Amino acid sequence: MMKEKSCTDEEDPAHKEIRELMDKLFVKLDALSNFHFTPKPVKPEVRVVVNVPALCLEEAVPVTASDATLLAPSEVQAKPPTQEKGENEMTQSDKHRERRKAKRRRKLKHIQHKVK
């Protein structure tokens, strides 16, 4: 079975010599073509893998922000009370809304009466 090389193992001397010769050659070729344009050497990518949920890592809100700054202006300022409309002034949607409210109140009353 083949063993993997660890990071502490030395490079083979022949490989080291070849790498040095190639580096010298590449420097000379760069000087011939355009010495100012040399791409940066590729750095190895470092990844840190942690078993933590993404929400814990990525807070959308800064810790120092207060709740007041996160609310929309309409949520901060209370809505002014609306005047009640008469039956003939109500639109169809207003009538439906009132009917739903009344049904909800009756249902809650009925449920509370059953519990007692």
Side-chain angles (χ1 to χ4, degrees), residues 45-114:
E45 183 178 330
V46 178
R47 288 187 182 184
V48 178
V49 179
V50 181
N51 290 334
V52 179
L55 290 176
C56 292
L57 291 176
E58 300 174 10
E59 286 278 336
V61 179
V63 178
T64 58
S66 69
D67 290 339
T69 58
L70 301 176
L71 298 176
S74 62
E75 294 172 336
V76 173
Q77 187 178 13
K79 293 182 181 177
T82 58
Q83 291 183 350
E84 302 240 351
K85 295 180 181 178
E87 293 239 354
N88 55 356
E89 294 175 335
M90 287 183 158
T91 62
Q92 194 68 25
S93 60
D94 292 335
K95 290 178 185 175
H96 287 298
R97 187 178 310 112
E98 290 297 320
R99 180 167 167 77
R100 284 192 304 268
K101 280 184 187 177
K103 279 179 150 182
R104 206 173 300 129
R105 276 189 243 120
R106 274 186 267 141
K107 187 176 182 182
L108 287 174
K109 249 187 191 177
H110 183 69
I111 291 172
Q112 289 174 353
H113 184 66
K114 271 187 170 180

